[in-house]
Amino acid sequence: GEEPESDEPVENHRPGTLCIAARRLDLLSGWLPAWHLSLVLRYTGGESVEYEGASTTPIPGAYGPIVIRKRPFRPRPDRHGVVVDYVYRRDLEDWEQALDVETARLNTAAVAYEPLTGPNSNTIVRTLLLRLWLPPIQPAAVAPGFDHEAL
């Protein structure tokens, strides 16, 4: 029979955890609490990479297309936030490669940003989770656009 998998490091593999980050946004002067979601790949050993969707411009009525940025994850002290571990993986790097391909596809598609109904940054998180064949689970009570059809 085959040996069971272990958590021992394997050469050329980078284990870690895929996380969902949620940052609180207060819309309409605090009357509508909502959450902005992003995906975080937290590698064992400390490095974390974030995939975050946003509008091209912050101008209401002229947001432009959604743009996804990949960068080192940085918690934002100016917003209440939470990072929820979603799934551990022995080789997280292959998911990072898949997310890079999907990010390029979505950025090229130039999908119009709709803040309240989607598609928006929360729709991007849903789309990326589905691209990885993961159930689209979100940790926030109100995340407008998360239930929008995946892109």
Side-chain angles (χ1 to χ4, degrees), residues 86-105:
Y86 185 39
V87 64
Y88 173 82
R89 188 166 171 88
R90 289 185 58 208
D91 187 8
L92 199 58
E93 202 162 35
D94 60 341
W95 277 2
E96 184 173 354
Q97 292 168 2
L99 292 173
D100 289 348
V101 169
E102 189 68 358
T103 293
R105 180 188 77 79

Side-chain angles (χ1 to χ4, degrees), residues 1 26-27 88 114 117 121 126 136:
D26 288 324
L27 305 177
Y88 173 82
E114 295 292 336
T117 60
S121 57
R126 177 185 184 83

Side-chain angles (χ1 to χ4, degrees), residues 103-117:
T103 293
R105 180 188 77 79
L106 291 166
N107 282 340
T108 300
V111 176
Y113 181 89
E114 295 292 336
L116 295 179
T117 60

Side-chain angles (χ1 to χ4, degrees), residues 18-21 23 36-43 48-54 67-74 76 92-104 106-107 121-122 124-126 128 132:
L18 181 134
C19 308
I20 301 173
R23 296 181 183 106
H36 169 77
L37 306 177
S38 62
L39 279 188
V40 177
L41 302 179
R42 184 181 293 156
Y43 286 98
S48 293
V49 178
E50 179 178 36
Y51 291 83
E52 181 177 29
V67 62
I68 304 168
R69 293 177 183 90
K70 176 186 176 184
R71 62 180 166 234
F73 176 64
R74 52 181 174 48
R76 295 183 185 167
L92 199 58
E93 202 162 35
D94 60 341
W95 277 2
E96 184 173 354
Q97 292 168 2
L99 292 173
D100 289 348
V101 169
E102 189 68 358
T103 293
L106 291 166
N107 282 340
S121 57
N122 296 335
I124 294 301
V125 169
R126 177 185 184 83
L128 295 177
L132 297 175

Side-chain angles (χ1 to χ4, degrees), residues 121-143:
S121 57
N122 296 335
T123 312
I124 294 301
V125 169
R126 177 185 184 83
T127 300
L128 295 177
L129 289 172
L130 289 169
R131 171 63 179 89
L132 297 175
W133 299 95
L134 294 171
I137 297 171
Q138 58 96 355
V142 179

